Amino acid sequence: MKKFTRIAAVVAVLVIAALLIGGAASAQLFPPGPEPGPEPPGATAITSGPGDKMYPAVSGDTIVWLDNATWSVQVYNATSGESLTIPGEGIYATMFMRQVDVSGDRVVWTGMSATTGAHDIYLYDATTGSVTPLTSDPALQMSPSISDGFVCWNEIDTTTGKGQIQWQNVNAGDSELAKFAAANLGSPRTENTTSNQLDPTVGGDTIAWFDDDGDASGHLNLNWFAGSGGGWVTFESSFPPLSPPAVSSDGRLIVWIAEMDGTLVLRMVDTVIEEVQEITGEEAMPAYPAVDGNYIVWADYRNGNGDIYLYDIQSGQERQITSDSAEQALPDISGNRIVWMGYDTGQWEIYEMEVTGLPAPPTPVSPTPVPPTPVSPTPVPPTPAPPAPVSPTPVPPTPAPPAPVSPAPVSPTPVPPAPVSPTPVSPTPVPPTPAPPAPVSPTPVSPTPVPPTPVSPTPAPPDDLSITADDIANLQWQQDPTMPGWLTARDPARGLTFFRDPDIPDITMIMTDRGEWYGYSPLTGLISLQGPGLI
């Protein structure tokens, strides 16, 4: 577990560093894995061509992913085989996990301005072909999630590392979920800034997130609100979460990874009967779960590299979907369609598979009830004041299982696109294009990325710590025994340990003997990566 904790910490901090430092380096944060292998049996590669295709999401027949050759969002219809590139002049997709999502004809993603380096949330409507910015301010926005017309995301305070949930309802009318969000979450603008809210995810009329409820220890508990009548529930647990939560499209089921007595365990809660079930045992090393209908999918590292596994909720049976030597990661599921990213060709491609014989809606297998503690929140009326909302979490994929990022992705998650987001008071929509764009070839025209202006991080390193380019150049680097492919160096006189991915030589992570984390690059100098929920 010591090895895993160290990897999780490095990944979680690296997520925040990449988002602050910006540039093409963020496209390389997911390690390439082992040598290429044969295509997984029964799976279909739906991408090809130059560059990595990563971080897929699926809704019905629509599959979306990020393309790091063009810094763009790609949309693919699994029935017609047609694909298109979402337009975005001067806006480049943030290449990290959980930075793109889809629901029906709508796609949301995190985009980075080529001029300012700012990260904002964008909405694409396939019925009109229009792109609308949902945020437009200097704060760090990331990890959007969408269900029908309800969009939520994380806003990260780069000073404290804390996250806040931001949201917008693009449908007309107020759903129960929108009413709850207006009274209790961070947007429209409220002063609810005491707690650290990470990794918001929405499915159906249910929103789930991790929250420390203002606890100074930073311990995160799973929270959810089910608009169908379940209300707001806090599931109090001493086991820390190590992945963002995933919610089924009907809002009934939530899955996440937790560390339980040194073991990584995939957990599921049924929000209707409010019972929690452990899905995997001690032999598993699960990461990045998703759930829909009767199935849960995840990447598992029990065999030394990432493979895709599936769990049939109704029968209680586990099935290994891939078993080759190539890395497989970050699956998503909609109905009986599974998508994931695989390294079978020597670069990341998107794979799709349909599970046959989809059973009826799930009936949980006699789980041991663990009653969650209901919370009676006091509604906070919205006010015009801007919030300081993470995650995270984005949690970045790595050949070893990640930890949820409070990015903060926090534990990777790390995040770190970590691995986990405010809405300006009045987002300025982009007028819709009269007609949707005609589908184009899966290989979009490659824009020439303009290196973004780095975001100036607020946190500053302590006065007694300084790092120069000469300090980095004079280090004696060696292979890190706990993180294959990474380099590490030690400065015992100053109590500093350095980490570097050879594929990203401009970014160096620094950990002090006191457990403080810093990032260094020639562009930004030394920046502090401290704050609740970062690691």
Side-chain angles (χ1 to χ4, degrees), residues 1-9 400 481-484:
M1 214 47 219
K2 181 177 180 182
K3 171 183 175 181
F4 176 77
T5 303
R6 186 179 185 189
I7 293 172
T482 64
M483 296 185 295

Side-chain angles (χ1 to χ4, degrees), residues 58 290-292 295-297 310 331-339:
V58 59
V291 61
D292 201 35
Y295 297 122
I296 305 171
V297 293
L310 176 142
D332 194 18
I333 185 169
S334 177
N336 64 342
R337 175 170 283 116
I338 309 171
V339 297

Side-chain angles (χ1 to χ4, degrees), residues 46 96 101 127 131 135 202 210 224 259 261 371 385 413 448 481 516:
I46 61 175
F96 204 70
D101 197 17
T127 59
V131 173
T135 65
V202 63
F210 293 118
W224 72 81
E259 180 188 347
D261 301 323
T413 220
T448 304
E516 300 162 339

Side-chain angles (χ1 to χ4, degrees), residues 176-269:
E176 290 302 313
L177 179 55
K179 292 176 183 177
F180 165 80
N184 299 285
L185 300 181
S187 171
R189 303 284 184 168
T190 72
E191 292 299 329
N192 179 23
T193 60
T194 57
S195 67
N196 188 20
Q197 303 169 336
L198 304 179
D199 302 322
T201 308
V202 63
D205 58 359
T206 298
I207 182 172
W209 72 97
F210 293 118
D211 201 318
D212 70 2
D213 197 28
D215 189 328
S217 72
H219 178 74
L220 297 168
N221 286 315
L222 176 67
N223 283 247
W224 72 81
F225 172 81
S228 57
W232 184 357
V233 175
T234 296
F235 174 63
E236 294 184 350
S237 171
S238 60
F239 303 122
L242 292 181
S243 80
V247 184
S248 61
S249 60
D250 63 2
R252 176 165 183 166
L253 302 176
I254 304 171
V255 294
W256 73 102
I257 307 297
E259 180 188 347
M260 301 179 65
D261 301 323
T263 299
L264 302 181
V265 177
L266 171 57
R267 310 187 82 185
M268 178 186 76
V269 64

Side-chain angles (χ1 to χ4, degrees), residues 124-445:
Y124 171 75
D125 190 331
T127 59
T128 63
S130 62
V131 173
T132 304
L134 300 184
T135 65
S136 179
D137 59 46
L140 178 60
Q141 326 285 345
M142 62 191 307
S143 306
S145 177
I146 184 170
S147 180
D148 193 13
F150 188 92
V151 186
C152 61
W153 62 92
N154 249 160
E155 175 177 280
I156 309 303
D157 184 331
T158 56
T159 303
T160 65
K162 283 189 174 184
Q164 275 220 294
I165 300 172
Q166 302 298 317
W167 63 278
Q168 188 169 137
N169 188 18
V170 298
N171 284 342
D174 286 334
S175 64
E176 290 302 313
L177 179 55
K179 292 176 183 177
F180 165 80
N184 299 285
L185 300 181
S187 171
R189 303 284 184 168
T190 72
E191 292 299 329
N192 179 23
T193 60
T194 57
S195 67
N196 188 20
Q197 303 169 336
L198 304 179
D199 302 322
T201 308
V202 63
D205 58 359
T206 298
I207 182 172
W209 72 97
F210 293 118
D211 201 318
D212 70 2
D213 197 28
D215 189 328
S217 72
H219 178 74
L220 297 168
N221 286 315
L222 176 67
N223 283 247
W224 72 81
F225 172 81
S228 57
W232 184 357
V233 175
T234 296
F235 174 63
E236 294 184 350
S237 171
S238 60
F239 303 122
L242 292 181
S243 80
V247 184
S248 61
S249 60
D250 63 2
R252 176 165 183 166
L253 302 176
I254 304 171
V255 294
W256 73 102
I257 307 297
E259 180 188 347
M260 301 179 65
D261 301 323
T263 299
L264 302 181
V265 177
L266 171 57
R267 310 187 82 185
M268 178 186 76
V269 64
D270 186 320
T271 63
V272 174
I273 60 177
E274 296 188 355
E275 289 185 349
V276 175
Q277 179 179 355
E278 277 69 57
I279 302 300
T280 57
E282 292 184 358
E283 76 287 350
M285 293 188 70
Y288 320 119
V291 61
D292 201 35
N294 186 57
Y295 297 122
I296 305 171
V297 293
W298 70 94
D300 201 295
Y301 293 82
R302 71 185 70 179
N303 299 317
N305 65 284
D307 283 312
I308 305 302
Y309 279 72
L310 176 142
Y311 180 82
D312 185 313
I313 299 171
Q314 192 172 63
S315 68
Q317 298 298 307
E318 180 186 277
R319 172 183 168 191
Q320 185 172 350
I321 299 297
T322 66
S323 57
D324 57 17
S325 60
E327 195 77 22
Q328 317 293 330
L330 287 163
D332 194 18
I333 185 169
S334 177
N336 64 342
R337 175 170 283 116
I338 309 171
V339 297
W340 69 89
M341 52 187 275
Y343 200 70
D344 303 85
T345 64
Q347 64 183 25
W348 292 107
E349 304 289 357
I350 305 301
Y351 292 88
E352 180 250 358
M353 174 186 287
E354 289 194 44
V355 181
T356 56
L358 183 66
T363 302
V365 182
S366 302
T368 302
V370 180
T373 304
V375 172
S376 300
T378 302
V380 180
T383 80
V390 68
S391 175
T393 169
V395 195
T398 130
V405 206
S406 290
V410 82
S411 319
T413 220
V415 313
V420 160
S421 309
T423 302
V425 179
S426 301
T428 305
V430 174
T433 304
V440 297
S441 163
T443 305
V445 178

Side-chain angles (χ1 to χ4, degrees), residues 51-145:
D52 291 320
K53 280 69 72 176
M54 302 179 290
Y55 318 122
V58 59
S59 174
D61 293 338
T62 304
I63 304 171
V64 297
W65 64 87
L66 303 178
D67 186 325
N68 80 345
T70 57
W71 288 28
S72 63
V73 179
Q74 303 293 309
V75 184
Y76 174 81
N77 185 291
T79 299
S80 67
E82 297 178 334
S83 65
L84 60 86
T85 301
I86 293 181
E89 184 176 354
I91 302 297
Y92 299 108
T94 300
M95 296 293 157
F96 204 70
M97 67 174 62
R98 297 193 72 242
Q99 302 308 314
V100 63
D101 197 17
V102 59
S103 177
D105 293 327
R106 294 182 172 119
V107 181
V108 291
W109 76 98
T110 307
M112 182 179 65
S113 167
T115 1
T116 67
H119 293 259
D120 284 301
I121 306 300
Y122 294 84
L123 170 72
Y124 171 75
D125 190 331
T127 59
T128 63
S130 62
V131 173
T132 304
L134 300 184
T135 65
S136 179
D137 59 46
L140 178 60
Q141 326 285 345
M142 62 191 307
S143 306
S145 177

